[in-house]
Amino acid sequence: MKKGVLLSTAGLIIAGAIAANAWAERDDDDRDDDGGSYAIGLWGDLPYSDLQAQVGVPNLIADMNAHKLAFTVHDGDLKAGNGTPGSVTPTICSDALYVQAQGYFNSLRAPAMFTTGDNDWTDCDRPSNGGFNSLERLDHERALFFSTPFSLGQRKLRQEVQDASATPCKGFVSGTAAGTTAYKDVPCVENRRWDHGGVTYVILNIQGSCNNLCDTSPDPVEYAARNAANIAWLKEAFAHAIAHDSAAVMIVSQADPGWNLADVVGGGPLRNPKTLAETDGLPDGFQEFLLALRDEVIAFRKPVAYVHGDSHYFRVDKPFQDSLGRRLENFTRVETFGDNQGNGTNDVNWLKVTVDARSREVFSYQTQIVPGNRTAVPAP
């Protein structure tokens, strides 16, 4: 069985690589833009089990490929929070995990974007995940997924990459003795931006597990550098959107940072909606960023969509408030479908977003329940 799974995974990876090479160095910013509306696909927090890796995600990718999509974005977490003993697909933070993910992304016909998740780097230091150095795993992802200014996928889309000169992130120093940490300044190459059809899109490396301030081995030095870089990239993205008269901004990150005191379903931290201070006593790795985000959203005035995963609870809502407790009307939170491992392949689905810069709200959302992944209620 293991041999068959490995062959199947290898075939997927090889097929993706061949297709990717055929389209290498292609800049497809305007491929699906006819001056009107276009569609994108959002997914994340997958796969979390052998069944999802072998059946659910391939079904999802085939379903995405059946649509004409301008691009797709996976909002983080390539695996479950802990490794699964006896699994036949990669479930710890070994190199094989990222190779499997690369095969998925490069089997997508549309340009494929990805933002890292806590389960695929921040939490890799857990013994159940193989006890890796988290920062080393992040650097591995940077080298594998973000080594060029182009997306993944069978078609390529060129992206702007954050300049490291002013706000670098921290990287791993090879040869560091066990139990110690050394840092070097590196570019935050995972932070990306692109324009398509009159809209500005931006990816930020913002993580669950308190944004690397809690869990097995908190790293406040790494957090501080990346948080400063994220805020700088956020501000630059909005300045770019204003300068280019973008109709809207869509931001994609992994973490559910928590938005208010009523957002109790799923797992994001509770916070005072006026001050944006976290109320659960855990280290707050998000308040400074959320305060900056709120200022930018209010100043921009046009639609802003914030896409994240992390809590595994699909929703499209408006939980963000100003300092007086008033709803920010131009802000929409979008949480993608995520693993529901107890229900087999259930929730291995994706979200189709139709984007029309000429419309008032710009973004409209349609769930895509993959017929082959229906579990509780089989497809008719």
Side-chain angles (χ1 to χ4, degrees):
M1 183 176 181
K2 290 185 179 180
K3 183 178 180 181
V5 171
L6 290 173
L7 289 173
S8 176
T9 302
L12 177 65
I13 293 164
I14 292 169
I18 292 171
N21 288 336
W23 288 87
E25 303 303 295
R26 291 293 296 266
D27 181 1
D28 280 337
D29 286 41
D30 297 314
R31 171 172 296 275
D32 292 311
D33 180 16
D34 60 0
S37 65
Y38 58 94
I40 65 175
L42 304 175
W43 62 305
D45 289 295
L46 298 168
Y48 270 44
S49 67
D50 285 342
L51 183 60
Q52 292 179 3
Q54 296 171 276
V55 179
V57 169
N59 284 347
L60 183 153
I61 288 172
D63 200 53
M64 277 189 172
N65 283 343
H67 292 70
K68 183 181 179 182
L69 301 176
F71 56 84
T72 69
V73 187
H74 184 295
D75 57 20
D77 276 4
L78 301 174
K79 61 179 288 299
N82 298 291
T84 304
S87 63
V88 295
T89 59
T91 61
I92 65 169
C93 297
S94 62
D95 288 358
L97 172 72
Y98 311 104
V99 172
Q100 174 180 263
Q102 188 179 44
Y104 291 143
F105 296 140
N106 285 335
S107 65
L108 284 159
R109 292 175 182 167
M113 284 64 148
F114 165 64
T115 184
T116 60
D118 58 345
N119 293 355
D120 47 79
W121 76 271
T122 304
D123 298 336
C124 287
D125 50 18
R126 295 176 182 173
S128 61
N129 285 328
F132 293 85
N133 180 288
S134 295
L135 193 52
E136 185 276 331
R137 290 290 80 185
L138 174 58
D139 276 357
H140 182 73
E141 289 190 282
R142 286 168 172 159
L144 187 63
F145 298 121
F146 307 106
S147 61
T148 78
F150 290 89
S151 69
L152 302 163
Q154 294 178 17
R155 302 201 316 265
K156 304 297 182 186
L157 187 152
R158 181 185 290 273
Q159 303 163 307
E160 294 295 323
V161 182
Q162 185 172 20
D163 182 2
S165 58
T167 51
C169 284
K170 295 300 181 184
F172 177 73
V173 177
S174 60
T176 302
T180 63
T181 303
Y183 305 93
K184 61 181 178 181
D185 288 347
V186 299
C188 308
V189 292
E190 65 273 24
N191 282 353
R192 303 276 168 131
R193 187 184 72 235
W194 66 98
D195 293 319
H196 191 98
V199 174
T200 296
Y201 298 87
V202 59
I203 284 178
L204 296 165
N205 184 352
I206 302 175
Q207 300 301 306
S209 301
C210 311
N211 210 3
N212 207 15
L213 287 181
C214 63
D215 211 87
T216 302
S217 299
D219 193 339
V221 174
E222 186 283 326
Y223 158 79
R226 180 169 44 83
N227 185 55
N230 283 333
I231 292 173
W233 192 235
L234 174 80
K235 293 180 177 180
E236 185 175 328
F238 275 98
H240 171 91
I242 292 170
H244 289 77
D245 196 26
S246 295
V249 171
M250 176 176 282
I251 302 162
V252 184
S253 70
Q254 188 265 332
D256 178 356
W259 305 94
N260 54 50
L261 295 171
D263 195 12
V264 296
V265 179
L270 298 182
R271 61 182 64 252
N272 184 311
K274 297 180 180 180
T275 66
L276 298 177
E278 199 167 321
T279 61
D280 57 10
L282 291 173
D284 192 343
F286 308 107
Q287 185 186 18
E288 186 180 4
F289 172 80
L290 289 174
L291 288 168
L293 174 64
R294 185 163 68 182
D295 288 345
E296 296 294 336
V297 169
I298 292 172
F300 185 60
R301 302 176 70 176
K302 300 176 184 179
V304 177
Y306 194 98
V307 180
H308 68 79
D310 195 20
S311 297
H312 302 197
Y313 188 82
F314 169 73
R315 52 193 147 185
V316 178
D317 62 3
K318 292 185 174 291
F320 213 10
Q321 300 175 27
D322 70 7
S323 60
L324 299 178
R326 300 174 300 186
R327 186 193 312 276
L328 299 184
E329 296 94 340
N330 64 322
F331 179 90
T332 302
R333 179 265 295 275
V334 180
E335 181 164 6
T336 54
F337 289 97
D339 160 71
N340 190 329
Q341 199 166 349
N343 289 326
T345 56
N346 195 23
D347 284 350
V348 183
N349 301 299
W350 60 286
L351 181 65
K352 184 178 182 179
V353 184
T354 300
V355 186
D356 190 340
R358 302 165 302 180
S359 68
R360 184 173 64 191
E361 300 300 327
V362 181
F363 305 112
S364 58
Y365 306 94
Q366 183 183 52
T367 57
Q368 298 295 318
I369 305 301
V370 180
N373 291 343
R374 286 176 58 161
T375 301
V377 182

